[in-house]
């Protein structure tokens, strides 16, 4: 199955997504904010073993470094620019802002149904 990075500052949301994806057989890593996610991915600094997930599920509204800034940084790095991102947001107007980023594969609006998120993940995996 897929290696998926979930980036969300709400622990209950991260845990719900992680459980849903792991029950479907995926390996899931989590990050509580954008700065940490960029570090894990080795985008902002060099790390010995940067994570290279198959999919990133990314919240937009987060402290320190927001999801939009993470999208921009992912697009700048040749190693991460092609990783599909599912944007997770409570603000539907953010769709217009982030839809221009080339790595955005899907949108999920909070609150969401875990089964609907899982379907989006499956569609992205099947395209690969």
């Amino acid at each position: 199955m897929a290696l998926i990075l979930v980036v969300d500052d709400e622990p209950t949301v991260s845990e719900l997504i992680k459980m849903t994806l792991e029950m479907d057989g995926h390996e899931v890593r989590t990050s509580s904010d954008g700065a940490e996610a960029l570090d894990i991915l080795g985008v902002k600094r060099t790390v010995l073993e940067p994570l290279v997930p198959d999919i990133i599920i990314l919240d937009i509204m987060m402290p320190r470094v927001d999801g939009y800034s993470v999208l921009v940084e992912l697009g700048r790095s040749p190693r991460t620019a092609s990783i599909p991102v599912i944007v997770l947001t409570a603000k539907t107007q953010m769709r217009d802002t982030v839809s221009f980023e080339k790595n955005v594969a899907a949108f999920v609006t909070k609150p969401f149904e875990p089964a609907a998120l899982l379907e989006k993940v499956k569609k992205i995996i099947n395209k690969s």
Side-chain angles (χ1 to χ4, degrees):
M1 285 301 189
L3 171 59
I4 302 170
L5 175 63
V6 177
V7 186
D8 197 305
D9 61 322
E10 296 179 48
T12 54
V13 173
S14 285
E15 191 57 33
L16 172 64
I17 294 170
K18 183 177 183 197
M19 287 180 6
T20 300
L21 296 172
E22 286 179 342
M23 286 175 37
D24 198 52
H26 303 287
E27 181 180 348
V28 181
R29 305 282 171 79
T30 61
S31 173
S32 60
D33 65 56
E36 180 184 47
L38 292 172
D39 285 346
I40 291 168
L41 295 163
V43 173
K44 295 299 272 184
R45 63 182 180 90
T46 304
V47 293
L48 260 20
E49 294 182 37
L51 183 69
V52 183
D54 299 299
I55 300 171
I56 299 171
I57 298 174
L58 179 65
D59 185 23
I60 293 297
M61 304 302 290
M62 294 184 292
R64 294 197 327 157
V65 177
D66 65 21
Y68 181 73
S69 298
V70 172
L71 279 173
V72 170
E73 291 299 326
L74 291 174
R76 289 181 182 159
S77 171
R79 196 174 38 72
T80 58
S82 63
I83 298 171
V85 177
I86 298 175
V87 172
L88 188 63
T89 184
K91 301 200 178 275
T92 55
Q93 66 269 27
M94 288 303 296
R95 180 179 290 221
D96 295 335
T97 305
V98 299
S99 62
F100 294 108
E101 299 302 323
K102 61 184 174 190
N103 49 346
V104 174
F107 291 90
V108 174
T109 304
K110 290 181 180 180
F112 63 93
E113 289 293 325
L117 176 63
L118 186 57
E119 280 304 308
K120 290 186 185 295
V121 167
K122 287 179 180 181
K123 283 182 183 178
I124 292 168
I125 290 169
N126 290 334
K127 285 183 184 178
S128 303

